Amino acid sequence: MPRLAAASLVGTAVEFYDFFVYGTAAALVLGPLFFPTFSPLAGALAAFGTFGVGFVARPLGSVLFGHIGDRHGRRPVLMASLLLTGGATVAVGCVPTYDAIGVLAPLLLLVLRFLQGLGLGGEWGGAVLLTAEHAPPERRALWSSFPQVGPSLGFLLANGVVLGLSAGLSEAQFTQWGWRVPFWAAGVLALVGLWLRSSLAESPRFLEIDDHARVPFAEVVRDHWRLVLLTGGALAVGYAIFYSVSTWSLAYATDRLGVDRSVALTCVMAAVAVKGALTPVMALLGDRYGRRPLCLAGCAAAALWMFPMVALLATGAALPMFAGFLGAMLAFITMFAVIAAYLPELYEPRIRCTGAAVGYNLGGVIGGALTPLAATALAEQGGRVPWGVGAYLTAIALLSLGCFALLPETRPVPAGAAGPVSATG
């Protein structure tokens, strides 16, 4: 289990590095370079629009790679998704700007972002299922939380590279070529991830399946559509929190408040680092007390914290901003530390790769794709404190709270103990 968890963690970190480095670039430089004829606000919205395309592609990737995972195994999904996402990310770093090739530049950016999302849509299901289906039931949340640490490491790596380049290069150098370096580095990271994953064994649960679904997505839509909608709505708040902090807040702090780029990045990175470190701890609580109670607690905390978060952000001071981001990340990880165990347990093994991944990535469309766009537009209408953004995030938290309330508990209970036992194992 340690070797399997480590390989899943590293591979997921590489995939999310690819995805996050685009979000950071969208917040900092893509607007002026690829949409120079737009106003600053319109350029930011256009850059975040290409960012959102990746989320729209993720459920499609879930369908494509989920079919492979349910029909041919979880392991092939890990290899193919990593190749696709890594290749698309390297290509983003090679796209000429608008000044060089005109309107073709943002169009290429759009296509490559779509391919990034397509690959990441398959990555999560494969990595999580391979770990969760190998893990002993009583520690399933703990072991399957390690792929959930991957997004934190990917984010820290992506923004650490950007932070180092920002500190070491002049503004002109960073704008001319420095922003491309993190995208090129994705090629090396993808090769490392492929090497680590090449020796992984197939999931024992998959090998036990006798009647593989012929068309898994059709079966999911026909028999489990309500569950997919509930899980998508439940997970929306996690995406909204993470991308409001990691993408929109970064742009708002630097452009609207005049906060130095390095200061804003450091505040976000510090909060994400704490989130990553606490992920296994919260997962242990999920093994002890159940998945659903932690999800409900995290949603409630998020609903209560969104207004204080935007107020602390509006100060433009490092410590208050960090406190606001940290509170949001703690609410986020209370839910998402157990999601990698919770979602697979909600779906039967024969359609699990498709169902869990589609539900997970549908939450990304609801909560992740629109949040930077909506928050940017809402913040423009308000004063220094973007209360509209707080209201928007609170509404998403309440939506997710209602969805989690309608989902069942799935934590396996040891033989002889009282309580419901997970039906799907």
Side-chain angles (χ1 to χ4, degrees):
M1 285 307 305
R3 184 174 62 86
L4 180 64
S8 294
L9 185 156
V10 171
T12 307
V14 171
E15 291 255 22
F16 276 89
Y17 167 89
D18 296 349
F19 202 73
F20 290 145
V21 78
Y22 189 101
T24 303
L28 298 177
V29 296
L30 293 188
L33 291 177
F34 288 87
F35 305 95
T37 60
F38 291 17
S39 68
L41 173 60
L45 289 172
F48 284 141
T50 60
F51 174 76
V53 166
F55 286 98
V56 175
R58 283 174 66 168
L60 299 178
S62 301
V63 175
L64 172 63
F65 289 103
H67 184 90
I68 297 171
D70 285 323
R71 291 284 297 170
H72 305 289
R74 319 317 191 193
R75 188 175 174 274
V77 171
L78 296 182
M79 310 300 284
S81 62
L82 189 55
L83 275 172
L84 178 58
T85 308
T89 305
V90 172
V92 169
C94 300
V95 175
T97 62
Y98 185 94
D99 289 341
I101 59 173
V103 72
L104 187 59
L107 289 177
L108 286 173
L109 209 60
L110 200 67
V111 170
L112 292 170
R113 180 61 175 173
F114 182 87
L115 293 176
Q116 270 191 325
L118 204 66
L120 192 61
E123 159 66 24
W124 186 86
V128 163
L129 288 192
L130 201 63
T131 307
E133 291 181 339
H134 273 93
E138 69 277 7
R139 284 290 179 262
R140 185 177 291 139
L142 172 63
W143 287 113
S144 59
S145 74
F146 284 92
Q148 293 294 83
V149 179
S152 297
L153 291 180
F155 179 85
L156 292 173
L157 184 59
N159 286 276
V161 172
V162 173
L163 187 63
L165 289 167
S166 297
L169 300 175
S170 67
E171 187 70 27
Q173 289 173 323
F174 184 81
T175 303
Q176 285 176 350
W177 59 266
W179 68 272
R180 298 182 184 274
V181 174
F183 291 94
W184 296 335
V188 177
L189 295 174
L191 292 175
V192 173
L194 288 170
W195 175 72
L196 285 171
R197 290 180 166 185
S198 62
S199 61
L200 294 182
E202 183 53 77
S203 159
R205 293 291 300 188
F206 174 80
L207 297 175
E208 292 170 1
I209 299 172
D210 295 322
D211 57 334
H212 296 283
R214 187 174 181 82
V215 184
F217 181 64
E219 191 169 319
V220 167
V221 172
R222 184 184 68 242
D223 300 333
H224 304 280
W225 61 270
R226 182 177 180 272
L227 182 57
V228 169
L229 292 178
L230 283 176
T231 52
L235 300 182
V237 64
Y239 285 97
I241 289 173
F242 193 89
Y243 288 102
S244 65
V245 170
S246 66
T247 301
W248 169 74
S249 293
L250 186 59
Y252 185 82
T254 54
D255 296 341
R256 185 76 175 268
L257 304 179
V259 177
D260 182 81
R261 179 189 298 158
S262 299
V263 173
L265 269 174
T266 301
C267 290
V268 174
M269 289 172 64
V272 172
V274 175
K275 174 189 83 76
L278 290 178
T279 300
V281 177
M282 302 307 295
L284 277 172
L285 294 178
D287 277 326
R288 177 66 179 85
Y289 299 106
R291 291 55 160 130
R292 188 169 171 268
L294 266 71
C295 292
L296 291 171
C299 270
L304 294 172
W305 187 248
M306 293 300 97
F307 282 110
M309 185 192 79
V310 296
L312 291 167
L313 169 63
T315 65
L319 285 178
M321 286 196 302
F322 167 70
F325 298 155
L326 179 61
M329 288 293 103
L330 292 178
F332 169 88
I333 204 55
T334 302
M335 297 174 278
F336 270 57
V338 298
I339 285 302
Y342 196 15
L343 258 65
E345 289 170 347
L346 287 168
Y347 293 89
E348 58 185 297
R350 67 195 303 270
I351 49 89
R352 180 174 284 165
C353 194
T354 300
V358 170
Y360 184 83
N361 288 296
L362 179 60
V365 176
I366 300 170
L370 298 178
T371 292
L373 285 167
T376 300
L378 288 169
E380 190 67 20
Q381 304 303 315
R384 182 178 175 88
V385 181
W387 297 118
V389 178
Y392 172 82
L393 296 173
T394 301
I396 294 180
L398 293 174
L399 167 68
S400 295
L401 184 65
C403 291
F404 273 125
L406 295 173
L407 289 171
E409 178 57 71
T410 62
R411 179 175 66 94
V413 178
V421 180
S422 169
T424 56

